Amino acid sequence: MTLQALIFDVDGTLAETEEAHRHAFNDAFQAAGFAWYWDPSLYLRLLAVAGGRERIRHYLAMLQPEFLADPDLDALIATLHADKTRRYAERVAAGEVALRPGVRRLLDEAQAAGLRLAIATTTGMSNVLALLDVTLGTGGRERFEVIGAGEQAAAKKPAPDVYRWVLEQLDLPPRACLAIEDSANGLRAALGAGIPTVVTRSRYTQDDGVAGAVAVVDDLEADRVDVERLRCWHAEAQLKASAGLSNF
Ligand code: XBP
Ligand code: MG
């Protein structure tokens, strides 16, 4: 089966967004009067849990367990996360986040080669659209035929739900696609949906496990990832599958 679509993760893959997320979480905590502070080494541990609301709950369970008994905990987390989302959008609008090297080139080349483009992420839709609007400008979001965000999946990565939803919308089998991810959670989600996956490591995922990836690169530009290489990796994945060496 030939390669027909590329499905991109957002956070860490299209852009190094996690510092903007981290600062937005901290600002929201401070504004609400909490002395909680997520420094980079704590945030690295917290990233084991995808999704902002889930991450706040995980933090409380780990380090402030007395909050778990609060009957209004869901509402508190929802309020903090809504404020964090607003603050993240402000940071993106201020130009704090840029596309990672090679992303724009690869998007251009893929479209010129007739590949379909999609997104599968755990972050909220408003965050995805804010990032695409600022970094790709007018028409940026329309380049992606399908956008699967946190709202589209019951269970966040590493569950495969968002990838399954995107495949359904594209009306393609997993073997016709390649996913591009930066993290172990993302890789597990894409593989769980049966999609061969290329990993481009990001700031916070340098030590993530990447077993099962069809290729692992530091950066799409430095490693000169183009459509031809993607087609090669995709074909290799198909060969391995037909030899019974993988699940694709
Ligand atoms: C990225 C995430 C996101 C952001 C926070 O995971 O975990 O949750 O850190 O986003 P991935 P929200 O790149 O694997 O999709 O606060 O909007 O949930
Ligand atoms: Mg990611």
Side-chain angles (χ1 to χ4, degrees):
M1 186 169 285
T2 56
L3 177 63
Q4 294 178 52
L6 301 181
I7 309 176
F8 287 87
D9 167 51
V10 174
D11 296 297
T13 298
L14 289 184
E16 288 280 12
T17 54
E18 289 302 350
E19 281 303 90
H21 281 295
R22 185 175 70 83
H23 290 304
F25 279 115
N26 284 328
D27 292 347
F29 299 153
Q30 195 184 22
F34 293 110
W36 308 338
Y37 182 75
W38 293 359
D39 66 21
S41 66
L42 173 59
Y43 197 61
L44 175 63
R45 288 163 60 205
L46 295 174
L47 279 170
V49 172
R53 277 184 298 272
E54 293 80 354
R55 191 167 300 141
I56 296 170
R57 187 180 298 276
H58 175 59
Y59 166 73
L60 295 175
M62 262 192 353
L63 294 171
Q64 318 278 345
E66 62 280 7
F67 276 88
L68 295 188
D70 182 345
D72 297 325
L73 183 61
D74 287 353
L76 172 63
I77 291 177
T79 304
L80 287 170
H81 189 255
D83 190 37
K84 175 263 170 181
T85 300
R86 191 181 57 73
R87 291 169 187 276
Y88 175 79
E90 278 173 14
R91 287 178 177 272
V92 170
E96 254 180 53
V97 183
L99 293 179
R100 288 188 66 190
V103 168
R104 182 186 282 270
R105 171 189 55 75
L106 185 59
L107 293 176
D108 290 344
E109 290 174 2
Q111 280 193 302
L115 292 176
R116 299 165 69 190
L117 301 180
I119 280 176
T121 179
T122 59
T123 201
M125 184 65 85
S126 67
N127 291 348
V128 180
L129 298 180
L131 184 77
L132 296 179
D133 289 351
V134 168
T135 56
L136 290 170
T138 312
R141 50 170 89 172
E142 285 79 18
R143 297 176 74 159
F144 298 90
E145 200 178 316
V146 176
I147 299 180
E151 293 85 346
Q152 273 73 48
K156 301 211 165 148
K157 298 175 188 176
D161 300 32
V162 70
Y163 276 101
R164 290 200 175 128
W165 185 85
V166 168
L167 289 173
E168 225 174 272
Q169 303 301 307
L170 288 170
D171 196 22
L172 285 175
R175 285 188 302 138
C177 305
L178 260 188
I180 307 189
E181 272 287 355
D182 70 305
S183 69
N185 274 340
L187 174 65
R188 275 180 61 196
L191 293 180
I195 306 170
T197 305
V198 173
V199 171
T200 165
R201 288 187 186 277
S202 62
R203 168 177 176 160
Y204 278 104
T205 64
Q206 292 297 313
D207 298 322
D208 275 23
V210 288
V214 298
V216 182
V217 297
D218 289 328
D219 165 329
L220 296 174
E221 192 58 29
D223 293 279
R224 204 63 207 173
V225 177
D226 56 16
V227 171
E228 201 183 320
R229 288 190 87 191
L230 292 180
R231 285 198 194 283
C232 261
W233 288 331
H234 182 257
E236 271 172 34
Q238 307 274 310
L239 277 176
K240 278 188 192 159
S242 54
L245 295 172
S246 79
N247 295 326
F248 306 124

